[in-house]
Structure formats: structure tokens, C-alpha cells
Amino acid sequence: MGKHHYVKNLTLTTINVVFLLLLSSSFWTCTASQSKIYGHARRGMAGMWPGNKAIREAYMGKRSRVGTFNVLDYGAKGDGRTDDSKAFLAAWNVACKIAGSTVLVPSGSVFLVGPVSFVGPYCAPNIIFQLDGKITAPTSASVWEGGLLQWIQFKKLEGITIIGKGIIDGQGLVWWNNVPSYNSIENTASSDLNENMPSTRPTALRFYGSNGVTVTGITIQNSPQVHLKFDTCTNVQVSGFTTSSPGDSPNTDGIHLQNTQDVVIYSSTLACGDDCVSIQTGCSNVLIHDVNCGPGHGISIGSLGKDGSEATVSNITVQNVYFHNTLTGVRIKTWQGGSGSVKQVLFENIQVSQVQTPIMIDQYYCDGTKCQNQTQAVEISDIHYANIKGTYTYQPIYFACSESSPCSDVSMANVQLTGQGYKKIDPFCWAASLDLQTRTIPDIDCSRKTKY
């Protein structure tokens, strides 16, 4: 190649580079104004962008808001008095069309939101609901006419995440005061709280028919009934989650699982008036670990088999859980006359403090109504208890299994429970095939094989 030819090519190359730089500067400036629509650039590419620092920073600032839809921008007042339901739905309807988008409920505001459903199945996947502020429920009976089953619902979604440090407040007292068994005298002087609410109390937050559900960081308090429910969902993860309701608030389960598979619940604190976690029929592959439960009724599988129904639950693991001031610790409860099975269950590394009955299997469960004796029962097998220690206030172990369908393949190892208080009774075991791999404290006798 000749010298002049080389210089000519170099000159043309230089001109092309300068032209491309100018063109690209114009491109990025234009893109900055259009980033709200497209938003495909990555933050990590900032160092490669042409143009000056101010342009890049302006674009970056714009990009940080792309795909984030603040409910305040859609008409929400956030004053705790104005109904912001329509604004929440408006923000959702826009976010629904964009994969990976975020609905932002900002901190520093209180949003009054009525019954609302964020519904697929035609939404884009992986939407984030960023809850940093506070959402409160209406306390007027007229809002709840017809007896609604849920307050806030996410339905038929693929990859839905609720994350943040915000609070969902169900204003449960207005509902609990209508339940005869609830005798709280707090705030009963308020005329608003004496309003006659419907007899059907809603779940605070429900996910239905969704896959890839994540709930992390948020708090749900004072739910009218169940705090957090997953129904017909798969691939569920709950972490850093808090429920906060009085121990005598009626039927306020912390987390309720139904027809849901592949679940992990961890690093959460659950205080409520019923089961901290309730595992119902159709659930399998559930792992619960590093959870603080109390007050409440413990972690329960069931109740199952009511009204002769069939129930199946399998592959449940509960480990590294601390129970304090609860009705039970780990419990399996089934109605007489049901069918199906509970199997492959492990309760391991459990610490209990001031728990009435830490370990329970009850195949004669009855909720206080008149229950007739029936021979058919949900079969219970392959149940294992290991390293369960602490204090109880009434009865350490209660195994009441069906004579026609005894509990089989039940094992216990390193169970050490110390009674406290004046009304302590001995362990009870009926129709259970129990394998004692170590001696329990106190002793339990099911007249089965022992190993110690």
C-alpha cells in the first residue's frame, strides 16, 4: 500500500469517526428525551457513551425513572382520607404492559385503598410492586357490601414481586368487634369502629393463579382475617415479611397456603391470632425456615378433610423456627370422615417458649361445632420430629390418631420439653406407630418400638 493511499484512508477514517461522534451525540441526546418510551440502555454502558458528562447524567436520571410508575403521578393523594383506588389501578394498567416495570407506592404518604384486584393474564411478566408507603383499608361498611373475600388481590400473573419497607394496614378492629368471641375493649368508644360490618371478613393480600411470586420486606398488620394468602400458585418466595396483629384477633392467620407448590418462607416474623402459617390441601414442596412465630397458634398442616373432602399434602419441611406464647408449635389437624393423605413431613430444630402444646397430631379436629364420630380419615404417615426443645405450659405432646387409619412411620429424636406453670398434663399418644430414636423428655409411650 502506498504512503499517499494510507494517508487518504486515514483522513477518511478520521472524518468518519468525527461524523459518527457528532451523530451519536445527537442520537443519545434524542434518546434521552425518548427514553421513557424505549429505555433499553444499561447503566453499565454509561462510560461508553459519547457526549459530555452533563448529557450522560441527564440521561441517567431519566433512565432511572423509565418503567417506574408512581401512583402519585396517576392521581393518588396519599392523605389517608381520599380514596386512591383508581390511581393505583391506573398506574397498574400502564405497568402491566411493560415487562419488568415497577408500580411505586412512595414513602411518606398514607394511601386509602378500597377492594382492588391487579389482574393478568395478559400483563407482561416480572412486574414489581414497590411498597414503601402505607396502604390502609376503608372502615365504612358500605365499601364492603356483598361480603368480599379479599381486599388486595394479584391474580393470574407471571413473575410478580412485592417488595419494600411499607405497611398494609387492614384496620381489623372494626371487623373483630363484630365477632362475639372477640372481647377487646380498645377503641370501642369510636362510633366508626362500632359500625356493623359484613360477616364475611376479607383477606388482606391474596395471590391467585400466579407463578413466580415474591413477597419481601413488607408488613401487613391488623388484617380483618388472613394476612397473606397464596391460592393455586407455584414458585413462591416470602422473606423479611412481618405480620402484626393481637394474639386474640379472630382467624387472622399470618400466611395461608392452598393448592400451592414449591414454596420457601424464611427470615420472617409472624404475630397473629391464628396459625402463623397454615398449610392446606393441594400443597407440596414447602420449606419454612428461620421464622419467628408468636403470638398465634403455631404452624399447622390443616385443617384437612372437612365435610368428607379429600386432601393431599406432601413434602413439608419446617426447621429453625422459634415459637413463643403460642397455642401449639407444630401441628397436623384433620377432620373425621375425610380422605387423602399427609406424608413426608419434617419438623426439625424447633425452639419453643411458653407454648401450650408444642407437638400435636389431631385426627379428631373439631372447631367447636358438633362433630360426629366417623371411621374414615385422612391418612398421616412419614412424619418426623428432630431436635425440638424448650418449655410448654399445658401438654408437651398430643398424638390423637384414628383407630381405623392410625398414624404410621412417625419418628422422634432429641425431643426435650420442660413444663412450666400449674396445669401441666402428661403426653398423650393414641393409635400412632412411633419410632423413638432417642428418649424423649418427658417420656411418651405409644406401646410401639423404641430405640434408646
Side-chain angles (χ1 to χ4, degrees):
M1 180 182 293
K3 178 179 180 181
H4 295 291
H5 185 70
Y6 173 80
V7 171
K8 182 179 179 180
N9 284 342
L10 178 60
T11 303
L12 289 173
T13 301
T14 303
I15 292 172
N16 287 335
V17 169
V18 172
F19 175 75
L20 287 172
L21 285 172
L22 291 173
L23 179 62
S24 60
S25 295
S26 175
F27 170 78
W28 288 112
T29 304
C30 291
T31 304
S33 66
Q34 298 171 355
S35 61
K36 189 172 183 179
I37 300 175
Y38 300 104
H40 296 305
R42 296 178 182 269
R43 289 179 177 270
M45 295 176 64
M48 299 172 59
W49 292 351
N52 61 43
K53 181 179 179 182
I55 293 176
R56 293 200 304 268
E57 288 181 348
Y59 183 84
M60 289 292 288
K62 196 80 169 181
R63 177 66 184 93
S64 67
R65 294 189 295 272
V66 170
T68 297
F69 304 96
N70 190 325
V71 294
L72 292 175
D73 295 334
Y74 291 84
K77 301 299 182 183
D79 57 12
R81 300 183 302 275
T82 305
D83 186 353
D84 289 326
S85 305
K86 291 183 179 179
F88 273 59
L89 285 172
W92 172 264
N93 288 337
V94 178
C96 170
K97 302 172 184 176
I98 303 172
S101 61
T102 298
V103 174
L104 175 61
V105 182
S107 61
S109 297
V110 178
F111 301 91
L112 179 66
V113 176
V116 63
S117 290
F118 304 104
V119 181
Y122 303 110
C123 285
N126 303 323
I127 298 175
I128 298 171
F129 193 92
Q130 179 80 35
L131 176 59
D132 293 325
K134 184 176 183 179
I135 300 174
T136 62
T139 56
S140 173
S142 61
V143 177
W144 304 97
E145 288 181 355
L148 300 177
L149 296 177
Q150 53 271 328
W151 168 28
I152 300 171
Q153 177 175 232
F154 291 84
K155 184 177 181 181
K156 295 185 178 180
L157 297 165
E158 185 72 27
I160 175 68
T161 296
I162 295 187
I163 188 171
K165 298 299 181 182
I167 297 172
I168 296 174
D169 190 338
Q171 305 278 14
L173 188 59
V174 68
W175 299 86
W176 307 332
N177 280 335
N178 288 331
V179 179
S181 61
Y182 184 72
N183 297 315
S184 174
I185 60 174
E186 296 180 9
N187 299 320
T188 54
S190 168
S191 59
D192 190 28
L193 293 177
N194 286 328
E195 188 172 356
N196 189 26
M197 303 295 282
S199 58
T200 300
R201 290 175 286 134
T203 291
L205 177 60
R206 179 191 188 224
F207 293 87
Y208 174 80
S210 298
N211 175 57
V213 183
T214 299
V215 176
T216 183
I218 69 168
T219 295
I220 303 178
Q221 63 189 28
N222 301 321
S223 177
Q225 197 174 51
V226 176
H227 289 77
L228 175 61
K229 178 183 287 187
F230 299 95
D231 187 353
T232 318
C233 293
T234 53
N235 298 309
V236 173
Q237 179 173 294
V238 179
S239 65
F241 172 66
T242 301
T243 63
S244 179
S245 290
D248 61 349
S249 55
N251 308 116
T252 55
D253 293 49
I255 300 174
H256 180 98
L257 306 176
Q258 183 172 330
N259 295 314
T260 293
Q261 301 84 40
D262 303 320
V263 180
V264 180
I265 300 169
Y266 65 99
S267 300
S268 296
T269 300
L270 308 175
C272 56
D274 210 304
D275 296 325
C276 291
V277 181
S278 172
I279 302 170
Q280 300 295 320
T281 186
C283 292
S284 61
N285 302 330
V286 177
L287 171 61
I288 302 169
H289 69 91
D290 297 286
V291 167
N292 188 327
C293 169
H297 291 185
I299 293 179
S300 296
I301 297 175
S303 61
L304 304 173
K306 187 175 182 179
D307 298 327
S309 61
E310 181 178 0
T312 56
V313 174
S314 64
N315 196 17
I316 311 296
T317 298
V318 178
Q319 56 187 191
N320 302 324
V321 174
Y322 174 56
F323 297 92
H324 55 96
N325 300 314
T326 56
L327 180 67
T328 66
V330 290
R331 171 170 60 165
I332 301 173
K333 51 182 179 178
T334 67
W335 294 75
Q336 295 183 73
S339 62
S341 65
V342 177
K343 60 185 179 181
Q344 299 170 334
V345 179
L346 172 63
F347 300 113
E348 182 180 37
N349 298 333
I350 306 296
Q351 184 71 35
V352 297
S353 176
Q354 300 292 305
V355 172
Q356 287 190 33
T357 305
I359 298 173
M360 176 180 287
I361 297 177
D362 185 3
Q363 287 188 282
Y364 298 89
Y365 178 76
C366 183
D367 65 358
T369 58
K370 293 182 179 180
C371 300
Q372 296 180 347
N373 288 329
Q374 300 181 60
T375 56
Q376 184 171 279
V378 177
E379 296 182 358
I380 297 177
S381 64
D382 198 4
I383 314 296
H384 306 284
Y385 304 87
N387 300 322
I388 300 179
K389 301 178 181 181
T391 60
Y392 67 93
T393 60
Y394 179 66
Q395 187 173 32
I397 304 168
Y398 180 83
F399 289 152
C401 298
S402 168
E403 291 184 359
S404 60
S405 182
C407 302
S408 63
D409 191 16
V410 180
S411 73
M412 304 186 79
N414 297 320
V415 174
Q416 300 177 20
L417 301 168
T418 303
Q420 293 185 347
Y422 299 101
K423 296 182 179 180
K424 303 185 299 294
I425 62 176
D426 292 334
F428 176 80
C429 185
W430 180 262
S433 176
L434 181 61
D435 178 4
L436 294 178
Q437 298 179 355
T438 64
R439 182 175 181 176
T440 63
I441 299 176
D443 291 326
I444 181 171
D445 182 10
C446 293
S447 299
R448 296 290 188 265
K449 61 182 179 180
T450 61
K451 295 179 180 178
Y452 56 82

